[in-house]
Every structure is written in structure tokens, then in C-alpha cells.
Amino acid sequence: MPDDRPAMNWLSSEDLGRWILGLAALGFGAAAWLQGDFTLYWQPVPDYIPYRAVLAFTWAGLCMASGAGLLHPKTARPATLVLVGLCLPFPVFHTMMRPWPWLGIAEWSAIALGAAAVRARLSPRLAAQRATWPIAARCALGLCCVVFGLSHFLFLASTVQMIPAWMPGDAAFWALSTGVVHVAVGIALLSGRGAVAATRVAGPMYLAFAAIIWLPGCLLHPEQWLRWAGNAITLAVLGGVWSVGDYLVAFARATRSAPASSSARGHAAPSSAEGAGQGKAAASG
């Protein structure tokens, strides 16, 4: 019988995660640049930081450059390093400035994980990577998703306020149900059971957040760049989640094909069962 397992991951062949992450980084950087400052909710940089305005414009410019770089295969890998570096300070600032910093930490970590996953997936030595790399990526992302879900439960009133009034049903239902999906995605990633499928389930949910919660405000108040930044960072998290899924698929495929390729060249190679087992353990789903 033909193997139809890749059919579920058909979008991964289009490099969709890298494109979403690149466009979102480009958009977030543009919003921050046009605002002329760090974005308040997602970048809680203290006012006493010297040369704050210069740093804000520099960060925004580098963010746009990294986003543009991600859109081309030849510049994608260097661009991922820039994007990861741009993400790193903000978990620290959230820890310093927020009473409950975990949501901000999880958001920036998910984006950084996505960028790192793009770099790992585009490596010419993908099949030679240790299985612990994709396992670490999916487990770290799983923790981020659990935090996303917990934030819906712990701050239910704030989450309910973000639900548009025209949505059918009770706003609390949507806030709680999406929180449950976040946690379920996190558990799937942590356990490795249906990990890739979980990233594909989460993707449309993040897209719905961007389209339903953020985009209407952007269109009604196009001069309010903070709204555009909120839309962009939601899509950046989507790109991060999807890119980790792409990495899991690519690593599993590479480890399945590596033994046959090595044997054809006359080199010693692990058994097919060993290679397949390594890929399956790293990228279940």
C-alpha cells in the first residue's frame, strides 16, 4: 500500500512556517519603527535604559531586516540568528517589569524557537543532528503552549474583554475553550504523541486570533501602530509554532532516508530501523 503519511503535512513542503515568521517579523518591526518606540505590552523596556529611542529604532530596523532575510532561502539561516538575538532580551524585561511574566516569556520564546527550528531545518547536515534537538524544540514549545492556556484561565476577565461582541455564544466559552486547545497542544508536544498534528491544529487558531481580535482594530484605527504590532506578534507566534512542526517533519524524513543514502554511497550507516526510530522519537505525530 502507498504511504500516505506525508499527506497531512502537505503545507510543510511549501516552507509555510518560514514565510509566516518572516512576514510577521517584518510587520512587527515596521509597526515598532512607525510607533517610534518599543511596543508597550510586548517589549516592557524600562524608561531608564540609556539611549532608549536609539535602541528602539535599531531593534525595529534589525527586526525588519531579519524578517526580510527569512523570506529568501539564501539569507534565511543568518536571519534566524538575528531574530533569535532580538527575542532574547524581552523575557528578561518581562521578568523585571511584570508581576506575572510567563505569558511574555512564552511568546518571545515561541518566536525564538521557531527561528531556531528554521535554521536547524535548513541545515545541510539535518540528518546528522542529534535527536535531542527536535525533542528539545517540541518540549520547549509545549511548555510555551501550556503557559498560553493557563493565561486564559488565570486572567479570564481580561481574555473575555478581547472577544468581539458579535461572536456567537458566551465570551467566556471562547476564552476557556481556546485555553483548553492551547493546553492540549502543549501536552501533545510534550508527550510527542501527535506533535506535528498539534502544531497544525494550533496554526488556524492563531490565525483566527489575528483576524478576529486584532485585524478589525487595525482597519478601524490604522494610525494606532500598537494594534498592528499585536497582529504581527500573534502571526509571529503562529510562524514559530508552525516552523517547529516543519522541523519535526523534516527531521523525521531525513533520518528515514539517511540510512539508504549512506548505504548507496558505500558508507557505514545505522540500520533503517534505528534511523526510523530516532526520527519517530524526536518527531512523533
Side-chain angles (χ1 to χ4, degrees):
M1 292 180 62
D3 185 2
D4 62 353
R5 284 176 295 177
M8 180 166 184
N9 308 316
W10 62 274
L11 285 173
S12 67
S13 63
E14 301 298 325
D15 216 7
L16 186 60
R18 175 172 65 86
W19 277 88
I20 296 172
L21 191 59
L23 291 171
L26 190 58
F28 190 88
W33 182 281
L34 292 168
Q35 183 173 278
D37 197 358
F38 291 106
T39 55
L40 175 65
Y41 297 110
W42 303 279
Q43 298 173 298
V45 179
D47 292 334
Y48 58 78
I49 296 292
Y51 305 106
R52 190 177 188 276
V54 174
L55 290 173
F57 278 107
T58 302
W59 189 95
L62 289 172
C63 189
M64 287 188 286
S66 67
L70 276 165
L71 300 179
H72 196 284
K74 291 185 177 180
T75 55
R77 294 194 77 224
T80 60
L81 291 179
V82 176
L83 185 56
V84 169
L86 292 173
C87 293
L88 290 179
F90 299 111
V92 177
F93 287 133
H94 275 276
T95 302
M96 294 168 52
M97 306 296 291
R98 298 283 190 256
W100 199 81
W102 298 108
L103 178 59
I105 292 172
E107 287 174 333
W108 287 106
S109 297
I111 297 169
L113 284 166
V118 170
R119 181 174 178 81
R121 182 176 59 83
L122 295 179
S123 170
R125 295 179 55 81
L126 175 62
Q129 292 176 7
R130 294 180 179 273
T132 51
W133 291 15
I135 291 174
R138 67 169 171 78
C139 288
L141 182 63
L143 290 174
C144 293
C145 292
V146 170
V147 171
F148 296 154
L150 290 177
S151 69
H152 282 224
F153 306 143
L154 296 174
F155 305 101
L156 181 60
S158 299
T159 307
V160 165
Q161 290 178 358
M162 300 181 72
I163 308 298
W166 54 263
M167 288 284 289
D170 186 60
F173 165 78
W174 293 109
L176 292 171
S177 60
T178 51
V180 170
V181 175
H182 277 304
V183 173
V185 168
I187 292 173
L189 286 163
L190 287 167
S191 67
R193 304 286 294 181
V196 175
T199 65
R200 284 18 183 175
V201 169
M205 182 174 67
Y206 291 117
L207 186 61
F209 292 162
I212 295 173
I213 294 176
W214 290 107
L215 186 58
C218 294
L219 298 178
L220 290 172
H221 306 282
E223 77 287 354
Q224 296 180 6
W225 299 111
L226 197 64
R227 295 180 184 272
W228 292 99
N231 195 57
I233 199 166
T234 302
L235 293 176
V237 173
L238 162 58
V241 171
W242 202 279
S243 293
V244 170
D246 287 344
Y247 176 39
L248 298 179
V249 172
F251 182 82
R253 184 180 298 124
T255 51
R256 284 197 299 266
S257 62
S261 299
S262 300
S263 299
R265 297 188 187 98
H267 296 302
S271 67
S272 298
E274 181 182 350
Q278 182 186 34
K280 185 176 180 180
S284 299

